[in-house]
């Protein structure tokens, strides 16, 4: 048995059909290119029979994306298979993925078919799909709840008809690792097939075990796993591609298999999907979450500063991520503060460190994460005795035009410890864009918004609030300045000022980092 596990990515089919993850044809093509760069083996580009829009998107992907096999899903009907074959025609390497329900529930309540009728449909559908391509995959929908003897019969019939991949999906996310391992071992021993025909696993995450079940299926003999980037998919989602690939890579000693995926492109694919769907993975999401390689705890930071392997089993570079692992917050310790201060040109030792750490903890308790600009201000104040000179939002006014083609105008007033009160105006197609532009003009940091995430957290219904709402807004923003990404965050009562304050925070970080680099460069020239 080969030690290579194929990766079929279904982000554009199972993932895209989930609520909240719909993509435009251009978005699907962009994501397909990211998957091609990731070097997945198969891209399931959609469900051609679902409509002309999806069919056209599959054809465009088949025409433009090179490398992976391009696949379309199809029910075991001639109409679906014909639509899939036509949509995939431009692809040099193509696959038709035929499925039909095999469990008693699906046979009785969805299909209204007998066991024999389902078998007849499997044989005829695969034979017809073979007229369009030699690469045909068969899925026994709801396989986990199908009688074992009948599942063997269905998969053997599919293999005899010409299917070269036999998918055994846990359609409803019901199974456990022990059960699915035993099932794949059983199928490997009882299904009649050629040596070139492989088993595939497709697991959903309804009980939170999609990745564990997929790894167990590999141990049981599966040599293809169907995944989605960021784990998106129907209901609770599919097996997350990044989790599976990095588990196989990191624990090769336990699984003894490999994939051909270029793991250094994982973060790029994850970010592309987040941008297309406007949905970021949770902060604590494994591998690609914002906290996956971040450390705020003082004990952890001390260990990571000595040797990253003390608390990291993977390198962020392995997934294409360049990051500063140490996050300075209220849980951080003296070692982390001293290390970051030294990187910014400040040496903290003895009493000086204790004094700076006390001031740092006071700020961290108030704002949570202490970013570069705020830390520089704090360290400068400790060094010179002068107050921090940070930008602060005083007022933002938006004037919306009466004319339909007019642009909003934003008037923004900022306060700075050295420059005092500064006001500027700007116009842009959107109100926030106009406010951001005015801020950039004042801080002198030209930037574009890379990502913006907002949480509007309402007060508890039983909480008494003077304004009846009592809501709290948290905004996290990323801006791009000369090709580099800088982050900012703000918390406020109102959405618009909170977004502008977060932009100010990010722009201030960019300004601070550039100033530090400028002073280092000047020092190097003087030396």
């Amino acid at each position: 048995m080969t030690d290579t596990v194929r990766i079929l990515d279904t982000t554009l089919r199972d993932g895209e059909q989930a609520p909240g993850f719909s993509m435009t044809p251009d978005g699907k093509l962009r994501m397909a290119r990211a998957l091609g760069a990731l070097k997945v083996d198969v891209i399931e580009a959609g469900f051609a029979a679902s409509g002309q829009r999806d069919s056209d998107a599959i054809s465009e992907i088949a025409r433009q994306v090179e490398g992976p096999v391009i696949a379309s899903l199809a029910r075991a009907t001639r109409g679906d298979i014909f639509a899939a074959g036509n949509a995939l025609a431009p692809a040099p390497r193509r696959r038709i993925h035929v499925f039909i329900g095999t469990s008693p529930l699906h046979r009785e309540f969805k299909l209204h078919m007998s066991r024999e009728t389902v078998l007849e449909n499997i044989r005829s559908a695969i034979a017809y799909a073979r007229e369009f391509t030699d690469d045909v995959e068969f899925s026994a929908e709801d396989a986990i709840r199908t009688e074992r003897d009948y599942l063997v019969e269905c998969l053997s019939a599919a293999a005899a008809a010409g299917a070269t991949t036999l998918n055994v999906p846990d359609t409803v996310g019901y199974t456990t690792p022990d059960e699915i391992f035993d099932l794949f071992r059983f199928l490997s021993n009882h299904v009649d097939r050629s040596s070139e025909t492989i088993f595939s696993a497709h697991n959903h995450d309804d009980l939170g075990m999609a990745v564990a079940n997929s790894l167990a299926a590999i141990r049981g003999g599966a040599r293809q796993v169907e995944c989605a980037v960021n784990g998106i998919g129907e209901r609770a989602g599919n097996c997350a591609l990044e989790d599976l690939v990095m588990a196989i890579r990191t624990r090769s000693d336990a699984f003894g298999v490999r994939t051909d995926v270029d793991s250094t492109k994982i973060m790029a694919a994850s970010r592309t999907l987040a941008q297309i769907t406007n949905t970021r993975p949770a902060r604590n999401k494994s591998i690609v979450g914002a906290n996956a390689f971040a450390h705020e705890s003082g004990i952890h930071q001390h260990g990571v500063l000595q040797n990253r392997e003390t608390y990291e089993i993977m390198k962020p570079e392995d997934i294409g991520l360049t990051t500063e692992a140490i996050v300075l917050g209220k849980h951080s310790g003296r070692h982390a503060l001293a290390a970051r201060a030294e990187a910014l040109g400040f040496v903290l030792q003895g009493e000086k460190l204790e004094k700076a750490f006390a001031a740092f903890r006071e700020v961290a308790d108030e704002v949570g994460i202490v970013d570069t600009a705020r830390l520089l201000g704090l360290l400068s104040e400790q060094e010179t005795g002068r107050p921090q000179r940070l930008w602060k939002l005083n007022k933002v006014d938006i004037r919306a035009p009466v004319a339909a083609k007019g642009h909003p105008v934003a008037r923004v007033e900022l306060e700075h410890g050295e420059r005092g009160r500064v006001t500027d105006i700007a116009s842009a197609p959107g109100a926030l864009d106009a406010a951001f532009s005015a801020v950039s003009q004042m801080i002198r940091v030209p930037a574009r918004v890379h990502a913006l995430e907002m949480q509007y957290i309402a007060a508890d219904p039983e909480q008494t609030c003077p304004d009846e709402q009592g809501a709290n807004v948290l905004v996290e923003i990323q801006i791009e300045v000369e090709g580099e990404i800088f982050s900012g965050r703000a918390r406020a009562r109102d959405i618009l000022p909170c977004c502008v304050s977060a932009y100010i925070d990010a722009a201030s970080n960019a300004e601070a980092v550039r100033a530090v680099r400028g002073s280092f460069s000047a020092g190097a020239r003087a030396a």
Side-chain angles (χ1 to χ4, degrees):
M1 184 183 294
T2 177
D3 66 349
T4 301
V5 174
R6 297 178 193 166
I7 298 298
L8 181 149
D9 183 276
T10 188
T11 303
L12 301 178
R13 199 277 300 169
D14 199 323
E16 198 261 347
Q17 71 190 35
F21 292 104
S22 296
M23 305 179 206
T24 64
D26 285 345
K28 290 189 77 166
L29 179 58
R30 185 178 163 201
M31 189 64 212
R33 286 186 172 130
L35 294 171
L38 193 58
K39 295 184 180 177
V40 300
D41 298 282
V42 184
I43 297 174
E44 190 167 54
F47 190 176
S50 66
Q52 193 60 47
R53 189 179 173 89
D54 212 30
S55 178
D56 290 345
I58 293 169
S59 292
E60 201 60 30
I61 291 168
R63 192 174 293 110
Q64 295 199 39
V65 178
E66 298 179 356
V69 173
I70 309 300
S72 172
L73 190 68
R75 289 167 295 190
T77 65
R78 292 181 71 86
D80 274 26
I81 293 167
F82 181 79
N86 280 349
L88 293 168
R93 303 172 67 213
R94 53 189 176 273
R95 174 183 294 187
I96 296 178
H97 184 177
V98 177
F99 77 96
I100 191 170
T102 56
S103 70
L105 278 168
H106 281 241
R107 296 195 311 262
E108 181 179 351
F109 296 103
K110 190 177 84 168
L111 301 174
H112 308 292
M113 290 182 182
S114 66
R115 287 169 61 137
E116 189 52 46
T117 305
V118 169
L119 283 167
E120 290 171 5
N121 272 263
I122 292 170
R123 297 185 187 102
S124 61
I126 292 173
Y128 184 50
R130 292 272 299 188
E131 296 181 17
F132 296 90
T133 176
D134 291 335
D135 189 346
V136 177
E137 177 172 342
F138 170 69
S139 280
E141 188 180 12
D142 205 21
I144 299 301
R145 297 189 294 179
T146 300
E147 308 94 319
R148 280 198 174 189
D149 63 332
Y150 184 60
L151 182 58
V152 168
E153 199 173 352
C154 289
L155 295 174
S156 297
T164 53
T165 303
L166 304 176
N167 189 35
V168 184
D170 182 12
T171 305
V172 293
Y174 179 73
T175 195
T176 68
D178 286 346
E179 286 177 350
I180 202 165
F181 167 75
D182 184 64
L183 176 61
F184 272 87
R185 287 287 297 270
F186 175 82
L187 296 174
S188 296
N189 292 328
H190 290 86
V191 173
D192 291 330
R193 67 198 190 284
S194 71
S195 58
E196 289 78 29
T197 301
I198 66 169
F199 288 109
S200 174
H202 178 117
N203 290 293
H204 281 265
D205 209 34
D206 298 71
L207 294 176
M209 293 187 282
V211 175
N213 287 337
S214 298
L215 291 167
I218 290 171
R219 289 177 51 241
R223 283 301 176 265
Q224 176 180 282
V225 176
E226 308 192 354
C227 316
V229 174
N230 294 351
I232 70 170
E234 286 281 8
R235 303 180 312 281
N238 290 290
C239 171
L241 179 147
E242 59 277 5
D243 294 3
L244 182 92
V245 168
M246 292 311 293
I248 289 173
R249 177 189 170 107
T250 305
R251 293 306 311 275
S252 58
D253 60 317
F255 299 109
V257 294
R258 57 182 294 276
T259 74
D260 289 330
V261 168
D262 181 355
S263 69
T264 63
K265 299 296 191 296
I266 284 176
M267 203 66 216
S270 174
R271 285 173 173 164
T272 297
L273 179 62
Q275 290 167 359
I276 292 169
T277 62
N278 293 315
T279 306
R280 279 178 164 186
R283 292 191 70 90
N284 64 332
K285 167 73 180 68
S286 49
I287 314 299
V288 295
N291 288 354
F293 292 94
H295 307 277
E296 185 182 329
S297 161
I299 295 172
H300 285 216
Q301 289 177 337
H302 187 200
V304 169
L305 287 168
Q306 306 305 311
N307 186 327
R308 295 189 71 141
E309 292 184 12
T310 54
Y311 287 101
E312 288 185 3
I313 59 171
M314 299 167 282
K315 296 177 182 176
E317 294 81 10
D318 292 342
I319 64 165
L321 179 63
T322 302
T323 182
E324 174 54 65
I326 303 300
V327 175
L328 292 182
K330 68 176 186 177
H331 302 294
S332 299
R334 292 169 178 77
H335 295 285
L337 175 63
R340 181 65 64 82
E342 185 176 355
L344 296 173
F346 296 84
V347 177
L348 299 181
Q349 294 176 341
E351 186 180 342
K352 197 173 182 181
L353 173 59
E354 292 302 319
K355 187 177 177 183
F357 185 67
F360 162 77
R361 287 298 296 268
E362 190 174 330
V363 173
D365 284 340
E366 179 187 348
V367 301
I369 295 174
V370 180
D371 52 40
T372 303
R374 200 175 296 272
L375 181 61
L376 273 171
L378 183 150
L379 294 173
S380 296
E381 182 177 350
Q382 294 290 310
E383 190 90 9
T384 64
R386 291 182 302 198
Q388 299 179 37
R389 299 190 297 272
L390 297 176
W391 289 102
K392 179 179 145 187
L393 177 65
N394 274 353
K395 187 187 297 184
V396 55
D397 293 322
I398 303 293
R399 301 290 176 89
V402 176
K405 294 184 179 179
H407 289 169
V409 176
R411 180 181 179 275
V412 182
E413 182 181 290
L414 303 183
E415 188 81 33
H416 188 264
E418 190 174 84
R419 291 174 59 185
R421 189 169 297 175
V422 184
T423 303
D424 212 330
I425 62 171
S427 179
L432 273 178
D433 292 330
F436 294 160
S437 181
V439 170
S440 281
Q441 289 167 187
M442 286 182 277
I443 299 182
R444 298 168 189 156
V445 175
R448 59 179 290 274
V449 175
H450 179 73
L452 187 151
E453 186 174 331
M454 180 182 69
Q455 297 178 27
Y456 184 92
I457 305 169
D460 188 284
E462 297 178 1
Q463 182 180 343
T464 302
C465 304
D467 63 354
E468 295 185 359
Q469 286 290 333
N472 199 357
V473 181
L474 173 65
V475 172
E476 296 187 88
I477 194 170
Q478 290 181 318
I479 63 172
E480 184 179 327
V481 181
E482 297 176 351
E484 192 170 359
I485 302 297
F486 296 90
S487 298
R489 68 201 313 262
R491 194 185 301 272
R493 170 64 185 85
D494 197 12
I495 293 170
L496 182 60
C498 194
C499 289
V500 177
S501 293
Y503 187 89
I504 292 167
D505 191 35
S508 297
N509 276 325
E511 180 189 42
V513 170
R514 296 201 303 181
V516 169
R517 287 175 183 165
S519 65
F520 282 169
S521 298
R525 286 195 297 272

